[in-house]
Amino acid sequence: MYKIFVYGTLKSEYLQNKLLGHTLESYDARLEGYSINTGEKYFNVLPNVGGCVNGRVLLVDKKDMLYIDQWEVIPMYMKAEVEVHSKHGYERAYIYIKKDKEEKINLQDSVENMCNNEDLEGTIDEFEGARDMEFPVCDIYLNYPIDIKACDFSKIEKKQDIFTEKVKDIIKDKEFSFLGYEYLTYQSAEKQINVRVSLYCISDDKNAILSVMLPVSTCNPTKLWEKSSTEKLEVEGRGFAEYLDSKYNIKVLDEPKIIIFSSGEIDESKRIEVFSVEEDIGKNSNISKLANTDISKIDDMQIFASENVKIEIPNNFEVCYADRLKSLIQTLSV
């Protein structure tokens, strides 16, 4: 069982029911040395000497934690551990803190509302109706090969964040840069899917990859893979490749490879479904064999792979995204 200190939307039992199918056991607690920033649409906490945030501690299991991560738009918000005071005394709990700089700041210690979204229940309903529930919660990566000769990397604004710093400690011969966030859209059945992604560039003197990262993705992996393979992903009404060229001066060479890093077992039919996308575009045969051959050669993970697809199912799917990323860094850098 895990503990999360909450102070905003996660206090809502309506959200808990929609997100998890049940409400959570909780109790009052306070976080000293912080205040609530109410300046933006959704609240966040910031360090503030003398501040004290009144909130609640939620008791969650691992599955619930990952569903909550989806709502918190990991990695826009990241989990950190803090010390809170409750009826049990001082105790450690996770808290969601915004990864990037605040745009507006208005610090308060006590608030009656949970956010500045006047239609919170409508937003919750829309979120609950759009997320995929066929697959376990997955981290998804689309890795596009980049034409390094056609890109002027000196003109690309490359940023550093907590992930790029972490990678530097592991990979010494490649540059790993954060480009920014985008909203990908595609048509699925009779509705449009919108998904927020993080863009990272991994490069050395000879090769470069654009990694489109979707931690705890809410979209269906098969549908995303199908749309990316048939060039039907869009940003702001333009094809994704065209958008990358115009905004980031990045030219992709080919369709991406996909990595699906799953929090639980993906059954055979779903694995076949993912691999069958390649068959539809003439890339592979013998789909059933690919989807049922574990090539990991280790006890703590299953890996099913083809030329352009890799499904990784670890025995231990870490609850913190930054910890999970460690096990993927080498894969992403290839």
Side-chain angles (χ1 to χ4, degrees):
M1 193 65 69
Y2 300 93
K3 298 176 182 179
I4 307 176
F5 178 77
V6 300
Y7 49 87
T9 60
L10 286 171
K11 293 190 296 185
S12 165
E13 291 191 349
Y14 184 84
L15 170 60
Q16 294 173 23
N17 265 315
K18 282 285 189 176
L19 197 61
L20 313 173
H22 57 88
T23 57
L24 295 166
E25 182 181 347
S26 66
Y27 49 86
D28 290 334
R30 67 177 187 269
L31 173 64
E32 298 166 354
Y34 288 79
S35 292
I36 301 174
N37 179 26
T38 62
E40 299 188 11
K41 186 173 183 179
Y42 293 101
F43 298 163
N44 186 32
V45 295
L46 294 175
N48 185 31
V49 176
C52 183
V53 176
N54 294 313
R56 296 187 68 79
V57 169
L58 304 181
L59 302 180
V60 302
D61 62 20
K62 190 170 187 176
K63 185 176 181 181
D64 287 345
M65 178 81 86
L66 297 176
Y67 285 144
I68 292 171
D69 277 1
Q70 290 183 325
W71 171 254
E72 292 290 337
V73 200
I74 299 294
M76 182 176 178
Y77 287 81
M78 296 296 295
K79 284 195 293 288
E81 276 197 291
V82 292
E83 189 174 73
V84 299
H85 190 265
S86 72
K87 62 184 180 180
H88 303 296
Y90 284 98
E91 57 181 331
R92 303 292 291 178
Y94 285 112
I95 190 172
Y96 288 94
I97 295 179
K98 190 175 180 182
K99 179 169 77 74
D100 301 307
K101 186 178 179 180
E102 301 283 331
E103 296 176 6
K104 299 178 181 179
I105 296 178
N106 180 29
L107 297 182
Q108 299 182 43
D109 285 344
S110 297
V111 294
E112 293 184 4
N113 54 333
M114 290 179 285
C115 65
N116 292 322
N117 182 353
E118 296 180 355
D119 186 24
L120 178 59
E121 289 193 2
T123 300
I124 293 168
D125 290 345
E126 182 180 359
F127 175 88
E128 189 270 337
R131 64 177 174 155
D132 174 69
M133 298 299 287
E134 296 181 27
F135 282 76
V137 173
C138 298
D139 298 332
I140 303 177
Y141 303 83
L142 297 174
N143 289 342
Y144 289 83
I146 297 173
D147 185 350
I148 196 168
K149 295 180 181 179
C151 297
D152 185 353
F153 283 90
S154 65
K155 294 182 179 180
I156 299 174
E157 183 184 359
K158 293 172 286 187
K159 311 165 191 174
Q160 300 299 309
D161 65 1
I162 59 174
F163 302 138
T164 57
E165 291 300 317
K166 187 180 295 291
V167 171
K168 283 180 182 178
D169 295 334
I170 300 173
I171 298 177
K172 307 295 185 182
D173 60 343
K174 289 182 173 64
E175 183 178 3
F176 194 94
S177 302
F178 173 55
L179 302 182
Y181 302 112
E182 299 292 350
Y183 279 93
L184 293 182
T185 64
Y186 62 89
Q187 198 68 30
S188 179
E190 297 180 353
K191 61 183 178 181
Q192 180 174 283
I193 303 297
N194 301 284
V195 58
R196 191 174 189 272
V197 303
S198 304
L199 304 182
Y200 287 82
C201 183
I202 307 166
S203 62
D204 57 24
D205 293 336
K206 297 180 180 178
N207 299 291
I209 291 171
L210 174 73
S211 188
V212 181
M213 298 187 177
L214 295 82
V216 288
S217 176
T218 57
C219 66
N220 182 291
T222 304
K223 298 295 190 296
L224 178 71
W225 174 221
E226 177 186 352
K227 299 302 179 181
S228 66
S229 296
T230 53
E231 300 181 357
K232 292 183 179 178
L233 294 181
E234 295 185 350
V235 179
E236 298 180 359
R238 285 183 285 176
F240 188 40
E242 178 190 347
Y243 183 84
L244 290 171
D245 190 11
S246 63
K247 181 173 181 178
Y248 296 103
N249 189 38
I250 287 177
K251 292 180 172 58
V252 298
L253 292 170
D254 203 350
E255 67 193 41
K257 300 180 187 295
I258 186 170
I259 301 171
I260 300 172
F261 195 71
S262 176
S263 66
E265 181 63 40
I266 299 176
D267 64 38
E268 178 186 359
S269 64
K270 290 298 179 186
R271 297 197 303 267
I272 289 175
E273 188 179 283
V274 175
F275 283 107
S276 294
V277 172
E278 286 194 289
E279 185 176 60
D280 291 342
I281 58 175
K283 288 286 185 180
N284 272 311
S285 60
N286 201 359
I287 298 299
S288 180
K289 182 178 180 181
L290 291 172
N292 286 287
T293 303
D294 178 6
I295 64 169
S296 64
K297 299 180 181 178
I298 54 177
D299 294 332
D300 58 357
M301 179 178 289
Q302 292 177 292
I303 298 177
F304 306 91
S306 67
E307 180 181 355
N308 291 320
V309 176
K310 180 181 283 187
I311 298 173
E312 301 190 21
I313 309 172
N315 292 345
N316 181 30
F317 190 86
E318 299 282 357
V319 294
C320 287
Y321 177 63
D323 293 331
R324 295 200 300 278
L325 192 63
K326 293 177 184 178
S327 61
L328 281 166
I329 289 173
Q330 294 296 339
T331 299
L332 293 172
S333 67
V334 173

